[in-house]
Amino acid sequence: MNTLQNITAPIGRFFLAFMFFISGLNKISQYEGTQGYMEAMGVPGVLLPLVILTETLGGLAIIFGWKTKYVAIMLAGFSVLSAILFHTDFSNQQEMINFMKNIAIAGGFLTLFVHGAGSFSLDNRANKNSA
């Protein structure tokens, strides 16, 4: 079972975090539109650079397993906050699906927070070097 865990941990981290990384990059190329959407939803557009940094750097940190527990709890909160701010029009089925997706993603990040990054990670390498 340990071999299976060693293989699936980095794959799971990649699956969970890749969309954050890509989403952050997309926000850069669609800056004005994203800023306008945020403002239309009542979120100050001036926060967009922070969102971009959170998504791109947070996504990369999870993918590589660096400071996983800290980043995972941060992205769990980010996912819940995004669900609440942008996806609470439950009369729209697509928005309800997006809300539930964000909550499920937060659950995945909470699991990473509890269990850590796994064997193939920068966190694990740092722990081996400090021992």
Side-chain angles (χ1 to χ4, degrees), residues 4-106:
L4 184 59
Q5 289 173 340
N6 289 342
I7 294 168
T8 57
I11 294 170
R13 288 194 325 266
F14 180 81
F15 285 170
L16 191 56
F18 184 68
M19 72 178 206
F20 281 84
F21 177 69
I22 295 300
S23 180
L25 294 180
N26 285 338
K27 284 175 176 64
I28 294 168
S29 66
Q30 300 169 7
Y31 196 93
E32 291 83 18
T34 302
Q35 188 175 38
Y37 174 69
M38 288 173 64
E39 290 170 352
M41 300 302 288
V43 178
V46 70
L47 295 176
L48 184 53
L50 182 60
V51 171
I52 291 169
L53 286 173
T54 299
E55 289 185 340
T56 54
L57 298 180
L60 284 174
I62 294 294
I63 288 169
F64 290 107
W66 181 73
K67 303 290 183 185
T68 303
K69 290 188 175 204
Y70 298 112
V71 177
I73 198 74
M74 177 192 65
L75 287 177
F78 180 86
S79 296
V80 170
L81 187 60
S82 295
I84 292 168
L85 291 174
F86 298 106
H87 304 299
T88 54
D89 179 6
F90 298 135
S91 65
N92 179 332
Q93 186 175 3
Q94 187 61 44
E95 289 303 314
M96 180 177 274
I97 290 168
N98 283 330
F99 181 88
M100 291 186 299
K101 171 198 59 110
N102 281 32
I103 298 302
I105 290 167

